[in-house]
Amino acid sequence: RSVFLPLAFEPAVLDLIPEPVERDIDVSFVGGLSGWQWEAGTKLLEAVAALPAVQFYGYGHQNAPKAVRDRFRGPAWGNEMYSTYRRTKLVINRHGEISAGYSNNLRMFESTGCGAVLVTERSKNLHDFFSSTEAVAYSGPEEAVYAIRGLLRNEPLRKQIAENGQARTLRDHAYAQRMKVVSSTLMEMLVGAAK
């Protein structure tokens, strides 16, 4: 028997990394910037690299497209990564091909938990995590660029989606909620073993 346990966000991060006075990074991506497991995702990053406001952080920049390398700002791990998300208006997300069209990576919850707008690919199960008022979905690189440009011009909408996404993550996608699933599953197993 198995139980699906999605990844999550730890709200204590918000106490460690206070929200800045101003979100001074328009668009960011933190993660792997090249590799066989992200072939389609690398094309997405190359497309959004044409936007003047985007910044890339992470690893694998040496093999990334030139447009991505030109906007590479260095690695960002731990508190530095969370600080980047707290400073960012829009966070680009993509999954590797291994996800087979499903959503579930940490970036989804880390970015929304930190109050940034999640811009992620449409997937078979995105609706299990976020509604269209809590995150922005795209079907390909061109649609992602179009959505990002529109959100950067529409501050009220962007702020509303960011607030909605953060509220959803803090309510439904924090580790405290995930541990309830773990606890109830273990209790069921114990009760079943005792019978």
Side-chain angles (χ1 to χ4, degrees), residues 22-40:
E22 179 186 354
R23 289 186 178 261
D24 61 339
I25 301 172
D26 286 338
V27 185
S28 74
F29 174 86
V30 180
L33 299 169
S34 65
W36 60 268
Q37 65 274 50
W38 301 301
E39 190 174 319

Side-chain angles (χ1 to χ4, degrees), residues 3 10 46 159 166 169:
V3 175
E10 176 47 59
E46 187 173 22
K159 285 186 173 182
Q166 186 176 42
T169 292

Side-chain angles (χ1 to χ4, degrees), residues 28-168:
S28 74
F29 174 86
V30 180
L33 299 169
S34 65
W36 60 268
Q37 65 274 50
W38 301 301
E39 190 174 319
T42 302
K43 290 176 184 168
L44 167 77
L45 298 183
E46 187 173 22
V48 298
L51 297 166
V54 70
Q55 297 181 18
F56 296 102
Y57 301 82
Y59 58 96
H61 67 282
Q62 301 89 340
N63 299 316
K66 182 179 183 324
V68 173
R69 290 194 315 268
D70 288 347
R71 299 190 179 278
F72 180 65
R73 301 294 182 257
W77 308 107
N79 289 349
E80 189 177 344
M81 176 194 68
Y82 287 118
S83 177
T84 299
Y85 288 148
R86 295 286 273 166
R87 294 174 51 207
T88 299
K89 296 172 186 170
L90 307 170
V91 170
I92 302 161
N93 186 49
R94 56 92 174 99
H95 292 76
E97 278 76 357
I98 196 168
S99 70
Y102 288 90
S103 291
N104 182 31
N105 65 13
L106 271 172
R107 191 180 306 108
M108 291 175 29
F109 307 115
E110 292 165 337
S111 60
T112 53
C114 286
V117 173
L118 172 67
V119 180
T120 190
E121 69 267 67
R122 278 192 179 77
S123 70
K124 300 171 186 176
N125 66 330
L126 182 60
H127 64 275
D128 292 338
F129 301 115
F130 299 104
S131 73
S132 61
T133 63
E134 298 164 337
V136 175
Y138 61 83
S139 293
E142 297 79 18
E143 191 174 341
V145 169
Y146 180 81
I148 290 166
R149 283 186 172 136
L151 287 165
L152 289 175
R153 287 191 300 262
N154 191 337
E155 184 175 355
L157 176 62
R158 186 182 71 243
K159 285 186 173 182
Q160 188 61 61
I161 294 171
E163 289 173 12
N164 293 346
Q166 186 176 42
R168 177 71 184 270

